[in-house]
Amino acid sequence: MSKLQPVRGTRDLFGEDAERFAHVVATFERLARAYGFRGVDTPIFEFTELFARGIGETTDIVSKEMYTFEDRGGESLTLRPEFTAGLCRAYLSNGWQQLSPLKLAAHGPVFRYERPQKGRYRQFHQIDAEIMGVAEPQADIELLALAAHLLDELGLAGKVQLEINTLGDTPSRLAWREALVGYFGRHEAALSEDSKTRLHKNPMRILDSKDEGDRALVADAPLLDRFLSAEAGAFFETVLKGLESVGVPYVVQPRLVRGLDYYCHTAFEFTTTHLGAQGTVLAGGRYDGLIEQLGGPATPAIGWAGGIERLGMLVDLPAAPRGPITVVPMGEASQLAAVGLTARLRRAGFVVEQAFRGNLKKRLSRASDMGAPAVLILGEDELARGEVILKDLATGAQQAVALDQVETALAVYRD
Ligand code: ATP
Ligand code: MG
């Protein structure tokens, strides 16, 4: 450890960054509640095996981004690189099948060993929404409506675009998979080492490769739509019609695939051109096969995750809230009275601060720096009469108020 540096790819959140972060989370929690989602918290570490199975061995996340360690009992544990696998594990561990259909909302830290840059960290944070136990396309529509509504409320409607695709159902995917193996097999020599491994294990992963040579091949790879079954096509149509009905604009992006395994049907990303290379702010899709893959009953599900840091960088912060009403004691004798009055007003629900340093001018300027709408000046003469002076900082108007009437006089400054 040199000096007292934070670990590479981690950040301390304070000041405006912290406010942006809190604004994203608060907006998400408010809307998730309005849409009937229930808050959930799961541990930030799980058995490594869960992520290996739940995300897929051939994904970038599992093959090179996980923070995996052995604990003192010799268990291999991993800091969660995403929410979905842990939420599915919790669904099975706790028998939440009984509650199905279940709408879950979570947020918190996520860990991936990546090359840090703007909008890309090793500890970052996600908001996450999942609907478990619903096979109907209405779940896809509702989940996308929540995402679009959230982005609207954050003021990002003009800055992001919804790109959407279908990954089909099992018969569509099997036919497509065969075509991909055929196509990439013919170009195997030109594939990256990672993608050579993917070719037989999970050829769809190649479509999501970030390697430039792979990307050139991917541009001409066969698309799913040629192999799409009538049922899966109809499902996708319903989702798109639903989005139109809700008023959510979208662009169908036939080359969009998701970085995780077990996705089917709907896959989507909200992207922006305002963040340089880190263009995806929120992404997700349907993962009907995952819960079964983890050893549970076949359970359709769909979800998305949004990066809080990336969303926070894009939002316009709402106007700063009003600062605290400030109690200003003048002289030794009023110090104790100020402490008592401050405590009394806070318990009555007012936002209150004290300014007890320097001369009167300093104290008043500190109050106005903090955005105080008003100050209560406690002079010794006034206190002797059982009064304080209430000064409105916007108008400069000043009046004497009986000590036991302060709450009433301050009512106009309540939010
Ligand atoms: P990318 O293509 O940028 O690596 P991803 O496909 O790995 O993204 P997801 O796994 O879909 O991302 O995670 C959902 C969201 O989490 C992303 O859309 C993004 O906003 C955010 N995110 C992902 N990785 C990071 C990171 N390292 N730092 C900050 N935010 C991230
Ligand atoms: Mg990534």
Side-chain angles (χ1 to χ4, degrees):
M1 190 175 70
S2 67
K3 291 188 236 147
L4 280 176
Q5 297 294 328
V7 174
R8 201 164 126 76
T10 68
R11 301 194 310 154
D12 302 307
L13 273 178
F14 183 67
E16 195 188 306
D17 287 339
E19 279 169 40
R20 290 174 173 278
F21 191 99
H23 179 54
V24 172
V25 172
T27 310
F28 169 66
E29 293 204 299
R30 176 166 55 79
L31 287 181
R33 207 173 310 120
Y35 279 66
F37 284 69
R38 299 171 69 174
V40 58
D41 252 321
T42 59
I44 62 165
F45 54 82
E46 299 272 359
F47 292 118
T48 302
E49 170 69 12
L50 174 72
F51 300 116
R53 290 213 339 237
I55 300 173
E57 305 272 5
T58 56
T59 57
D60 279 355
I61 293 181
V62 173
S63 63
K64 50 193 168 211
E65 295 176 357
M66 294 206 304
Y67 277 92
T68 297
F69 60 97
E70 215 172 83
D71 75 1
R72 288 166 196 274
E75 300 278 14
S76 179
L77 305 179
T78 293
L79 300 183
R80 69 176 170 212
E82 51 107 51
F83 276 82
T84 309
L87 289 171
C88 290
R89 197 270 310 138
Y91 182 87
L92 295 172
S93 314
N94 299 295
W96 289 344
Q97 293 99 303
Q98 297 172 42
L99 305 174
S100 169
L102 187 58
K103 303 201 280 186
L104 297 175
H107 65 88
V110 180
F111 306 85
R112 295 184 194 174
Y113 191 82
E114 299 199 69
R115 196 167 67 78
Q117 50 200 292
K118 184 183 166 206
R120 192 175 291 286
Y121 311 101
R122 289 181 174 175
Q123 172 172 340
F124 62 102
H125 299 78
Q126 288 184 337
I127 47 175
D128 185 278
E130 315 275 345
I131 301 181
M132 295 178 177
V134 185
E136 291 82 0
Q138 281 68 28
D140 308 49
I141 298 164
E142 178 162 275
L143 204 75
L144 278 160
L146 170 61
H149 192 170
L150 171 70
L151 296 169
D152 280 357
E153 293 265 312
L154 290 174
L156 305 186
K159 291 183 181 167
V160 296
Q161 167 170 292
L162 168 58
E163 297 178 28
I164 190 166
N165 191 21
T166 177
L167 303 177
D169 50 13
T170 307
S172 326
R173 285 162 68 81
L174 285 178
W176 183 39
R177 184 184 199 281
E178 210 170 294
L180 289 174
V181 173
Y183 170 81
F184 287 119
R186 286 195 294 282
H187 298 93
E188 187 166 355
L191 285 175
S192 68
E193 287 311 308
D194 280 347
S195 287
K196 279 181 186 144
T197 314
R198 292 170 180 137
L199 180 57
H200 297 288
K201 283 193 180 160
N202 190 341
M204 287 151 199
R205 290 277 58 77
I206 301 175
L207 301 173
D208 213 20
S209 168
K210 298 213 163 102
D211 178 89
E212 269 190 32
D214 289 348
R215 297 230 53 85
L217 287 177
V218 165
D220 291 323
L223 293 173
L224 171 75
D225 52 4
R226 273 205 279 145
F227 309 97
L228 198 61
S229 70
E231 290 80 7
F235 188 100
F236 191 43
E237 271 309 305
T238 308
V239 173
L240 297 182
K241 291 230 173 69
L243 291 177
E244 283 155 28
S245 165
V246 173
V248 174
Y250 63 85
V251 176
V252 174
Q253 173 55 265
R255 295 195 183 277
L256 187 142
V257 291
R258 295 281 304 133
L260 315 186
D261 287 358
Y262 316 118
Y263 276 95
C264 62
H265 289 294
T266 318
F268 55 89
E269 292 188 345
F270 286 85
T271 58
T272 179
T273 53
H274 291 68
L275 287 180
Q278 274 50 257
T280 307
V281 293
L282 187 153
R286 188 168 266 284
Y287 54 91
D288 290 348
L290 174 55
I291 292 178
E292 191 173 14
Q293 176 74 27
L294 293 175
T299 308
I302 179 165
W304 56 247
I308 300 179
E309 286 81 359
R310 291 188 197 173
L311 290 167
M313 290 186 323
L314 289 175
V315 296
D316 292 323
L317 270 183
R322 215 166 19 208
I325 292 161
T326 305
V327 173
V328 182
M330 290 312 303
E332 282 297 311
S334 59
Q335 211 74 259
L336 265 186
V339 171
L341 180 61
T342 301
R344 192 180 104 196
L345 293 175
R346 284 174 174 161
R347 283 175 180 257
F350 292 97
V351 180
V352 184
E353 194 45 274
Q354 297 182 72
F356 45 77
R357 284 198 163 154
N359 57 27
L360 180 62
K361 195 166 156 239
K362 265 242 171 70
R363 295 178 192 205
L364 290 180
S365 75
R366 172 154 173 82
S368 85
D369 287 351
M370 288 190 299
V375 292
L376 291 166
I377 302 168
L378 276 59
E380 287 172 19
D381 296 347
E382 287 83 6
L383 277 180
R385 289 199 298 273
E387 288 179 344
V388 299
I389 293 172
L390 170 60
K391 180 178 168 113
D392 184 298
L393 291 190
T395 64
Q398 213 164 285
Q399 54 171 313
V401 176
L403 249 179
D404 59 4
Q405 292 299 310
V406 173
E407 284 87 341
T408 314
L410 290 180
V412 293
Y413 303 109
R414 265 196 199 277
D415 286 319

